Amino acid sequence: MSTVNVYKQRPDAAHAESPLFHAGLHELAGKGKSTAGVVLREKKLLGHLTLRGDGHDAAFAGAVHKITGLELPGALGLVVKGETSLQWLGPDEWLLIVPGGTEFAIEQKLREALVGQHYQAVNVSGGQTIVELSGPKVRELLMKSTSYDVHPRNFPVGKAVGTVFAKSQLVIRHTGEDTWELVVRRSFADYIWLWLQDASAEYGLAIEA
Amino acid sequence: MSQINRLSRGGRIDRSQPLSFSFNGQTYQGYAGDTLAAALLANGVDVVGRSFKYSRPRGIVAAGCEEPNAVLQIGSTEAATIPNVRATQQALYAGLTASSVNGWPSVNTDLMGILGKVGGGMMPPGFYYKTFMYPQNLWLTYEKYIRKAAGLGRAPKENDPDSYDYMNQHCDVLVVGGGAAGLAAALAAGRSGARVILADEQEEFGGHLLDSRETLDGKPASEWVAKVLAELAGMAEVTLLPRATVHGYHDHNFLTIHERRTDHLGETAPLGQVRQRLHRVRATRVVLATGAHERPLVYSNNDVPGNMLAGAVSTYVRRYGVAPGKRLVLSTTNDYAYRVALDWLEAGLQVVAIADARPNPKGAWVEEARAKGVRIMTGSAVIEARGSKRVSAACVARIDAKAHKVTSSGDWLDCDLVASSGGYSPVVHLASHLGGRPVWREDILAFVPGEGFQQRVCAGAVNGVFALGDVLTDGFEAGVKAATETGFKPVSGELPKVFGRHEEPSIALFQVPHDKSTARAPKQFVDQQNDVTAAGIELATREGFESVEHVKRYTALGFGTDQGKLGNINGLAIAARSMGISITQMGTTMFRPNYTPVSFGAVAGRNCGALFDPVRYTALHSWHLKNGAEFEDVGQWKRPWYFPKRGEDMHAAVGRECKAVRDSVGILDASTLGKIDIQGPDAREFLNRVYTNAWTKLDVGKARYGLMCKEDGMVFDDGVTACLADNHFVMTTTTGGAARVMQWLEIYQQTEWPELKVYFTSVTDHWATMTLSGPNSRKLLAEVTDIDLGKDAFPFMTWKEGLVGGVPARVFRISFTGELSYEVNVQADYAMGVLEKIVAAGKKYNLTPYGTETMHVLRAEKGFIIVGQETDGSVTPDDLNMGWCVGRTKPFSWIGWRGMNRQDCMRENRKQLVGLKPVNPDKVLPEGAQLVFDPKQPVPMSMVGHVTSSYFSTSMGYSFALALVKGGLKRMGERVFAPLADGTLIEAEIVSSVFLDPKGDRQNI
Amino acid sequence: MLNIFCPHCGEQRSEEEFHTAGQAHIPRPLDPSTCTDEEWGEYLFFRDNPRGLHHELWIHAAGCRQYFNVTRDTLSYEIFETYKIGEKPSVTAKAKSAPLTSRTAGAKA
């Protein structure tokens, strides 16, 4: 534990502003058309940890599995169990998302299980948020936004890709037939929010709190 | 005005829906289902514009995108106006407002027309080059008139109210063209289960089948079209895109489609709808079923309104119920054009004669016409038309096509319409966008697509397959081939039966001979849009332009929005004949994207206005807004620039902010700095290699400033890196350099030193950073933190963890202002709450928010550099007088060390960073000003450096600057001069770049 | 718009997800300090600009952030292979001497 600095960064109780706080989504909730083609919800203030290590090393993969209950996914994979998900970001990089407030304890457990190994665990919870999009027109909305092929033949549920989105970059996760998640960097969140409103205008956009 | 040319029945128009529209200020009526061109012809409008160079009156020639003349400006308001719309492609809607783009002052009485009448001699090809370029100073005068006379439309001056967007498409098979071949191909591919996109540029799918005389399974061809469309529409993986032109074929089967979604509904889109959409398609296979364009014949005065393409006449009659005249003369080289005469007869109109260039035509269509008593003049052609604003007669003479000679005296026939057909040119444009050169086929007298790199199949007329039954088979087979090549099972299917007609070969006739020489005969237009004549092409070859590409550029053949659709083949054949070579030897020009014009709206998509470029915000942005910040763009970030109070200008605000920091305490949002978390046993070694200075001995708990160079030894980024634990560091980078540095670290780790065990993760967005700076910052911070801030407990260049405002924070005691400073980092979600607590506690210290401008002044007073301002990629650490930051004894040859030891980097007299103190303390040197030692030397003066940063310092009471000056470090006390553009001169003394507190007493307390 | 197979993501992605990083297989000298000016200049500044087969370094910037190599024809833009850092190309100018005739023939007269 002494080789890296790890400490609890989230206060037990304090005023928190997620990356889309300024958009006032809770006030917009329920005001859109009931027939909206796209429903947007921010899954905010979750625990996000970046894990880097050698996925082929059984010790690394085993420790991650032991602590998270999830197998390290291979290329473009996303595994979900309850409120915990583990996503492949690159050949030596994964994104672990856990319920907000549990990330410190999980990081500690991971570090205990990984003692002596070369890896990286970084809390990035404040730096990104998840925008969940659902509804019958989400696929078309995504087609307007990314050059990646979002057809279910190419992008089935359980796949996650880092790609371009409008003029920025983000991660798209397919979590249910008509449900998708965008992992959005905090500083780009307003741009993505503006883009999604503009691009979904013709389908109708509703907000869920 | 009544629709004098509207037939009483027939056509695919809806006569129950009359629509009013206006053209050049006149109101007319047409029907739903008309194109603007059809409606204009129905109303007997002959002249739709004036030609570009000679200003001759021009009428509608074609019925599709190949139309050269009816290129109009559409829209009733400035915001809605759109240039370059072909009337043949614009669906009619109620209230459509159109006008000609050429014709000054009006198309019917054109002052410019005099040019055209007095004689073409005034404007030969190369005219602009020859006439207007000399004398050069007159060009500006000429240009005004040329611009007025020429040009095809004008750009709107107001914002377009409509929205446009992109749609990224992926498919197994993209079928381009919805005619017989394309429909059959889409059907085959669709039935196999492949993802198929069928795009067609017209209002309706069906292409030629919509106006064909031929039957499928004994029924009108349009019924088969409807059946196929119904089947395709029912397939989940088939996307039908009507009104969608595939306008570009790009690398790796990436194609762009311009879809006009609401242009047929009105001049602005219905609320909430996207007007035009650019489809960006990645297709595994492409079926090009782009069809063919009929080739017009080139004869004298073939541009007078009333000269049309033969097939277009059929289209207007059969599809729109419009007869663009009463008395038809048809001039043809082939059998198929005879159908026009049959259609004309069926409409109850008079066929004056058919001139067939072949000596003895006997095909099925010919016999059918002959049986109906039509006068057929064999071995003949229309050699000249007569009329000014409308054809009144045509001269038919016997010709010898091979010898290019007229062999009889002409016979003038009264008529008001000359339809011509010189054969069919496959639409090879898309096939050659990527460089695949078309190949000449003598048997069909046409270019067909050559070999290409793309994964494409050509089908139907574009392939040189013209007979309908063959076209359907070719299309279907292409669809099967494309689908199976993408992994789908082949399907078989019954294709409709076609009543086959025997057709005889056509004859080559690219320019109709005249009894006068080409140069003397009345103008024979090859390219009407660009006013290129046969004589012009001959002249070009005589003047030595022998390559087809040169002829094109010299004459403008196939230029602009036309892209050689009608004129290309005739033009190059004329050039070839003129030079005595074959068409194959001549070759063809290349076609480039775009096939037809694409609006700027569609090109821009949603990337305009607020979405032009991403704007990045920090977690504290709403606080800055509330507190009246003015913002500065730093990369994509919005950073507070300064916080003006009521009545303050920037100068006053910055002066106040600087004073507050120097006297008490200020707060800065520093969240935009790049932050990279670095972990691994080799992290320290890695830092040693990427930074210029040494990191071996940096203890846990401490922080250090570092410079990064590129291999050439030039500074490229800087920042403070802290040692969080033995194997754990956090690096900061410049705001603009964050992504660049991250990739820099990765490229060295991944490609050069994979053996080093170290990982990097960007945490820029995770941490919000608030910098408290000023003599009272310790006192203020103490009120909101549990960290021991004592001088010894928390010395300069160290960091601590603790609570700030009740939130876990990492606090760095580092300084960019020269004052006692603390950088408070908290998880960004909680930054706002922390800031509010600090601000509340800061009231009694006059805590002042400050922006980037004050930050710049304060750091410059201390001589701290900003990468990108003091550096420009040609500055070494030694140039910056920062040799103290270079680890000259580090064992590993780190990045930049070898580069900065090049002879040139070691040379005396390099530009070095110094301070400048203007002799007049109120004069602020402009940033970027060039410096000289001797202001009295003659111009051009020898420049010795430039000002990199310059401000007025409120705390010091005088202006000051940083500058790079040749040998500056050895010139302390000497004078330099900045001669400014306005003729004035600022004199300054060279001083140390550290103006304030050189010993660091203020920050180190 | 190239379509590039990322050897790490295992699928084709559009060019806009990538950045090019110049010619591949130019290792940093093990000890730059011992390089002559000429050797160092060669490493730092000189690159091939072939008409035809070329090995390039690219990064999947919007995806997995990995660098990898691309063997590409600079005339046709055809990509013959992509391969990971540390691997050798299997398509080389020597192995692939047959010219890409159609684009060559299509070059401007």
Side-chain angles (χ1 to χ4, degrees):
Chain A
M1 294 281 292
S2 65
T3 55
V4 286
N5 169 271
V6 51
Y7 77 106
K8 184 179 163 187
Q9 294 165 19
R10 191 191 298 273
D12 292 327
H15 171 69
E17 297 190 356
S18 72
L20 281 178
F21 176 84
H22 69 285
L25 298 182
H26 57 286
E27 285 166 19
L28 300 171
K31 288 184 186 159
K33 271 193 280 183
S34 57
T35 56
V38 178
V39 179
L40 180 150
R41 174 167 80 109
E42 184 186 13
K43 294 171 81 170
K44 61 191 175 194
L45 301 173
L46 301 176
H48 295 238
L49 292 166
T50 296
L51 301 180
R52 299 195 69 172
D54 180 359
H56 301 296
D57 179 353
F60 177 74
V64 173
H65 180 249
K66 187 178 132 199
I67 304 307
T68 63
L70 295 169
E71 297 281 353
L72 271 185
L76 311 180
L78 166 69
V79 288
V80 184
K81 190 171 156 188
E83 290 182 73
T84 301
S85 66
L86 188 57
Q87 181 203 330
W88 186 92
L89 288 176
D92 58 5
E93 187 171 5
W94 289 264
L95 173 63
L96 174 63
I97 298 182
V98 296
T102 66
E103 66 274 9
F104 177 56
I106 288 173
E107 184 180 348
Q108 279 181 312
K109 280 192 210 162
L110 273 170
R111 290 195 179 280
E112 274 164 34
L114 287 163
V115 161
Q117 295 193 48
H118 169 47
Y119 69 98
Q120 185 185 35
V122 188
N123 180 4
V124 293
S125 309
Q128 54 200 38
T129 193
I130 289 184
V131 174
E132 185 192 76
L133 300 168
S134 54
K137 289 294 184 181
V138 175
R139 209 170 104 195
E140 281 177 55
L141 172 62
L142 294 175
M143 286 167 73
K144 290 184 179 191
S145 313
T146 177
S147 64
Y148 190 73
D149 182 5
V150 295
H151 189 282
R153 283 184 194 170
N154 182 64
F155 202 156
V157 174
K159 192 170 180 180
V161 300
T163 184
V164 289
F165 195 91
K167 282 193 180 177
S168 79
Q169 305 174 352
L170 47 66
V171 166
I172 307 175
R173 297 147 58 103
H174 197 179
T175 51
E177 192 184 345
D178 274 344
T179 309
W180 306 70
E181 291 178 351
L182 310 179
V183 183
V184 179
R185 276 179 76 177
R186 167 177 282 275
S187 56
F188 287 97
D190 184 69
Y191 170 72
I192 298 297
W193 163 235
L194 287 182
W195 175 275
L196 292 173
Q197 289 175 78
D198 194 49
S200 64
E202 68 179 299
Y203 310 126
L205 175 68
I207 308 299
E208 247 177 38
Chain B
M1 203 169 167
S2 61
Q3 300 182 40
I4 55 167
N5 283 338
R6 184 75 71 180
L7 297 168
S8 56
R9 60 192 168 78
R12 301 175 63 78
I13 48 169
D14 180 356
R15 291 169 197 259
S16 69
Q17 273 199 70
L19 302 171
S20 291
F21 69 102
S22 90
F23 174 66
N24 284 342
Q26 283 255 26
T27 303
Y28 301 96
Q29 259 197 2
Y31 293 118
D34 268 333
T35 60
L36 175 56
L40 286 168
L41 288 171
N43 284 280
V45 175
D46 295 330
V47 181
V48 294
R50 289 273 169 170
S51 78
F52 153 77
K53 200 157 88 177
Y54 303 120
S55 203
R56 290 164 68 110
R58 290 282 165 77
I60 293 163
V61 165
C65 74
E66 70 274 33
E67 170 60 36
N69 295 329
V71 179
L72 305 179
Q73 188 95 18
I74 305 284
S76 63
T77 65
E78 193 54 39
T81 194
I82 178 167
N84 274 331
V85 176
R86 277 155 177 74
T88 48
Q89 290 191 292
Q90 175 63 55
L92 194 66
Y93 53 79
L96 187 150
T97 305
S99 57
S100 304
V101 294
N102 277 332
W104 166 51
S106 95
V107 287
N108 282 313
T109 50
D110 189 340
L111 296 176
M112 289 296 293
I114 203 148
L115 264 180
K117 278 192 191 135
V118 169
M122 269 183 77
M123 278 186 140
F127 171 68
Y128 294 152
Y129 305 114
K130 287 170 178 165
T131 312
F132 287 132
M133 297 316 278
Y134 305 99
Q136 227 169 13
N137 57 352
L138 275 182
W139 170 248
L140 291 176
T141 313
Y142 292 136
E143 196 190 8
K144 264 185 258 170
Y145 295 99
I146 292 173
R147 291 258 178 259
K148 198 161 209 169
L152 296 163
R154 60 179 186 82
K157 296 189 182 105
E158 284 176 21
N159 283 349
D160 188 330
D162 285 321
S163 69
Y164 298 77
D165 70 7
Y166 300 158
M167 191 64 96
N168 295 285
Q169 301 273 13
H170 300 260
C171 61
D172 300 304
V173 181
L174 168 64
V175 180
V176 184
L183 287 170
L187 201 58
R191 282 178 183 166
S192 75
R195 291 165 68 188
V196 177
I197 295 173
L198 173 63
D200 186 86
E201 65 181 355
Q202 297 198 25
E203 294 294 314
E204 288 182 87
F205 288 100
H208 181 43
L209 295 179
L210 298 178
D211 51 53
S212 173
R213 292 182 67 80
E214 292 179 273
T215 56
L216 292 174
D217 285 339
K219 291 181 214 148
S222 58
E223 285 184 26
W224 181 76
V225 173
K227 206 176 84 183
V228 171
L229 283 175
E231 183 176 345
L232 290 172
M235 295 176 180
E237 298 304 338
V238 173
T239 304
L240 297 174
L241 293 177
R243 305 180 189 93
T245 309
V246 181
H247 61 270
Y249 197 141
H250 309 275
D251 289 302
H252 294 192
N253 267 16
F254 183 78
L255 296 95
T256 42
I257 305 180
H258 180 213
E259 184 195 11
R260 299 164 298 279
R261 291 173 67 80
T262 71
D263 286 24
H264 60 296
L265 300 175
E267 62 182 29
T268 54
L271 197 67
Q273 290 192 36
V274 171
R275 178 168 177 178
Q276 296 182 357
R277 179 166 280 165
L278 192 78
H279 295 268
R280 307 166 80 241
V281 187
R282 183 76 69 179
T284 311
R285 288 290 183 281
V286 173
V287 175
L288 290 178
T290 48
H293 285 150
E294 193 168 38
R295 218 153 47 218
L297 289 174
V298 175
Y299 48 90
S300 285
N301 293 332
N302 59 340
D303 68 324
V304 172
N307 285 288
M308 295 180 75
L309 284 170
V313 172
S314 270
T315 302
Y316 285 115
V317 170
R318 297 184 65 90
R319 191 163 165 189
Y320 301 104
V322 172
K326 301 277 182 256
R327 286 161 297 141
L328 170 75
V329 170
L330 173 67
S331 188
T332 180
T333 62
N334 59 79
D335 282 8
Y336 193 57
Y338 276 73
R339 79 190 186 285
V340 179
L342 300 172
D343 290 338
W344 198 253
L345 285 177
E346 251 172 48
L349 298 159
Q350 184 193 351
V351 178
V352 177
I354 296 176
D356 192 322
R358 298 168 297 180
N360 191 19
K362 289 195 301 244
W365 292 106
V366 181
E367 295 308 334
E368 196 176 336
R370 200 169 264 144
K372 294 205 167 154
V374 174
R375 178 182 178 193
I376 297 171
M377 302 163 80
T378 57
S380 304
V382 170
I383 64 165
E384 184 177 341
R386 184 188 290 157
S388 58
K389 288 179 194 158
R390 178 77 200 196
V391 169
S392 58
C395 180
V396 177
R398 291 192 67 84
I399 59 165
D400 180 339
K402 270 215 176 94
H404 191 63
K405 255 196 205 142
V406 173
T407 56
S408 77
S409 57
D411 193 354
W412 281 97
L413 307 175
D414 282 350
C415 65
D416 60 0
L417 180 64
V418 180
S420 75
S421 176
Y424 302 88
S425 300
V427 179
V428 298
H429 294 66
L430 288 173
S432 52
H433 276 178
L434 285 171
R437 207 159 264 263
V439 178
W440 180 254
R441 267 180 57 188
E442 193 62 35
D443 60 330
I444 57 165
L445 298 169
F447 280 102
V448 294
E451 210 185 305
F453 291 112
Q454 310 82 24
Q455 302 291 342
R456 62 164 159 84
V457 195
C458 297
V462 69
N463 237 359
V465 175
F466 295 122
L468 182 53
D470 299 342
V471 167
L472 289 168
T473 309
D474 203 36
F476 197 85
E477 281 171 3
V480 170
K481 181 173 192 298
T484 49
E485 281 177 1
T486 57
F488 293 87
K489 288 216 172 78
V491 293
S492 56
E494 283 272 299
L495 287 169
K497 295 217 164 37
V498 183
F499 174 74
R501 283 183 177 83
H502 170 70
E503 284 188 34
E504 293 193 318
S506 62
I507 191 174
L509 185 62
F510 303 106
Q511 179 194 356
V512 179
H514 194 276
D515 37 23
K516 292 180 186 155
S517 72
T518 300
R520 295 191 172 274
K523 285 190 170 49
Q524 301 164 317
F525 282 92
V526 177
D527 176 342
Q528 296 197 32
Q529 189 178 94
N530 296 295
D531 260 356
V532 180
T533 61
I537 293 169
E538 281 193 0
L539 179 64
T541 58
R542 277 207 308 279
E543 292 192 0
F545 294 91
E546 295 184 345
S547 148
V548 61
E549 296 285 357
H550 291 162
V551 170
K552 168 180 169 175
R553 277 153 188 81
Y554 193 59
T555 60
L557 174 71
F559 263 33
T561 64
D562 183 68
Q563 284 297 298
K565 292 185 183 67
L566 291 185
N568 198 58
I569 308 301
N570 286 332
L572 65 91
I574 291 166
R577 196 198 62 230
S578 162
M579 289 190 289
I581 60 176
S582 71
I583 290 177
T584 309
Q585 285 170 306
M586 189 75 205
T588 176
T589 56
M590 298 307 288
F591 302 99
R592 315 274 177 216
N594 294 329
Y595 174 63
T596 50
V598 180
S599 70
F600 281 115
V603 173
R606 293 187 183 280
N607 301 306
C608 52
L611 293 169
F612 179 68
D613 200 39
V615 180
R616 301 175 69 183
Y617 298 105
T618 75
L620 302 174
H621 189 76
S622 55
W623 191 91
H624 305 323
L625 283 173
K626 244 185 286 173
N627 287 274
E630 293 288 332
F631 292 93
E632 179 183 28
D633 291 336
V634 183
Q636 291 175 322
W637 290 96
K638 286 275 178 220
R639 295 195 71 179
W641 194 10
Y642 57 99
F643 290 83
K645 292 197 166 172
R646 189 183 291 271
E648 273 185 341
D649 62 5
M650 175 165 158
H651 183 75
V654 170
R656 174 179 50 75
E657 290 172 13
C658 286
K659 189 166 177 346
V661 175
R662 294 275 182 239
D663 291 351
S664 181
V665 59
I667 188 163
L668 171 84
D669 182 356
S671 307
T672 62
L673 285 186
K675 297 173 276 287
I676 300 169
D677 187 283
I678 304 173
Q679 297 178 24
D682 294 319
R684 196 179 286 272
E685 172 59 18
F686 201 88
L687 293 176
N688 269 329
R689 296 183 183 189
V690 295
Y691 273 129
T692 60
N693 46 339
W695 296 81
T696 311
K697 288 178 184 158
L698 184 72
D699 291 334
V700 174
K702 292 199 168 167
R704 179 171 288 169
Y705 173 82
L707 271 180
M708 256 182 225
C709 286
K710 294 224 155 167
E711 292 282 12
D712 59 6
M714 304 303 160
V715 172
F716 115 96
D717 209 85
D718 71 344
V720 169
T721 291
C723 181
L724 301 180
D726 284 339
N727 291 352
H728 192 184
F729 294 79
V730 63
M731 172 186 282
T732 62
T733 74
T734 59
T735 297
R740 205 162 51 220
V741 171
M742 185 70 188
Q743 275 194 10
W744 184 246
L745 302 179
E746 288 287 357
I747 194 173
Y748 274 92
Q749 204 280 326
Q750 290 180 29
T751 70
E752 298 291 354
W753 309 316
E755 71 281 4
L756 292 188
K757 291 181 169 175
V758 57
Y759 286 120
F760 316 96
T761 292
S762 168
V763 287
T764 303
D765 286 55
H766 173 69
W767 298 101
T769 307
M770 293 156 277
T771 303
L772 284 168
S773 193
N776 282 324
S777 56
R778 181 179 284 143
K779 273 191 243 166
L780 167 55
L781 186 57
E783 296 196 18
V784 292
T785 187
D786 61 354
I787 301 172
D788 181 355
L789 301 176
K791 182 179 190 300
D792 301 322
F794 194 174
F796 187 48
M797 297 309 282
T798 64
W799 62 271
K800 292 272 182 259
E801 281 166 12
L803 293 176
V804 176
V807 173
R810 212 180 253 158
V811 180
F812 296 85
R813 204 187 140 190
I814 54 181
S815 177
F816 196 42
T817 60
E819 299 297 331
L820 175 67
S821 292
Y822 298 92
E823 288 195 354
V824 178
N825 289 269
V826 295
Q827 183 170 329
D829 302 316
Y830 302 96
M832 189 65 84
V834 173
L835 177 65
E836 277 163 359
K837 285 188 177 147
I838 294 174
V839 168
K843 277 208 176 104
K844 57 176 171 290
Y845 303 103
N846 183 32
L847 174 67
T848 301
Y850 67 96
T852 50
E853 189 65 18
T854 292
M855 177 189 82
H856 283 198
V857 177
L858 297 174
R859 64 87 204 176
E861 288 174 352
K862 281 288 293 179
F864 293 150
I865 62 153
I866 286 185
V867 170
Q869 188 148 344
E870 271 63 55
T871 70
D872 58 5
S874 71
V875 180
T876 67
D878 281 328
D879 295 341
L880 294 168
N881 199 17
M882 291 172 79
W884 54 268
C885 201
V886 177
R888 295 173 204 277
T889 58
K890 286 198 283 182
F892 189 85
S893 187
W894 42 273
I895 301 171
W897 176 238
R898 178 64 184 84
M900 66 182 71
N901 282 297
R902 276 191 307 138
Q903 213 173 4
D904 186 62
C905 296
M906 316 271 282
R907 138 179 87 77
E908 294 276 308
N909 217 30
R910 280 179 67 84
K911 288 184 188 173
Q912 292 162 331
L913 187 72
V914 294
L916 294 183
K917 201 174 158 188
V919 173
N920 177 344
D922 294 326
K923 281 266 180 203
V924 179
L925 283 157
E927 287 178 355
Q930 295 292 325
L931 301 170
V932 300
F933 289 137
D934 173 12
K936 295 195 177 105
Q937 62 184 305
V939 174
M941 300 187 188
S942 61
M943 292 177 286
V944 297
H946 67 276
V947 176
T948 59
S949 296
S950 179
Y951 311 95
F952 184 84
S953 166
T954 313
S955 18
M956 303 189 299
Y958 55 81
S959 64
F960 72 106
L962 299 176
L964 288 164
V965 176
K966 269 188 187 167
L969 290 172
K970 286 191 175 165
R971 291 177 175 271
M972 290 297 147
E974 291 182 22
R975 297 292 165 95
V976 288
F977 301 84
L980 302 183
D982 63 4
T984 61
L985 198 65
I986 298 180
E987 181 179 1
E989 182 187 348
I990 299 178
V991 296
S992 158
S993 59
V994 185
F995 287 84
L996 193 88
D997 187 24
K999 288 193 183 141
D1001 295 336
R1002 297 176 70 96
Q1003 66 193 18
N1004 213 354
I1005 51 170
Chain C
M1 189 73 73
L2 306 183
N3 207 17
I4 302 170
F5 184 86
C6 171
H8 297 283
C9 291
E11 59 181 30
Q12 290 198 309
R13 299 289 184 93
S14 196
E15 184 180 344
E16 62 210 276
E17 293 190 14
F18 301 86
H19 295 157
T20 179
Q23 189 176 345
H25 307 301
I26 299 184
R28 186 177 196 261
L30 286 176
D31 186 1
S33 304
T34 60
C35 288
T36 63
D37 280 354
E38 198 178 340
E39 287 164 348
W40 183 246
E42 189 66 33
Y43 162 67
L44 203 52
F45 298 119
F46 290 89
R47 296 293 181 268
D48 296 336
N49 184 21
R51 187 176 196 267
L53 213 64
H54 196 37
H55 305 288
E56 299 168 330
L57 184 63
W58 287 71
I59 178 175
H60 193 184
C64 61
R65 301 198 298 116
Q66 298 296 303
Y67 286 88
F68 62 96
N69 299 309
V70 174
T71 304
R72 189 173 69 93
D73 188 291
T74 59
L75 280 172
S76 67
Y77 290 8
E78 187 176 355
I79 291 175
F80 299 108
E81 60 177 342
T82 59
Y83 52 102
K84 295 175 184 174
I85 299 298
E87 293 176 355
K88 293 247 177 331
S90 62
V91 183
T92 58
K94 269 182 206 152
K96 183 135 189 132
S97 56
L100 293 140
T101 45
S102 33
R103 175 64 78 116
T104 313
K108 267 191 186 181

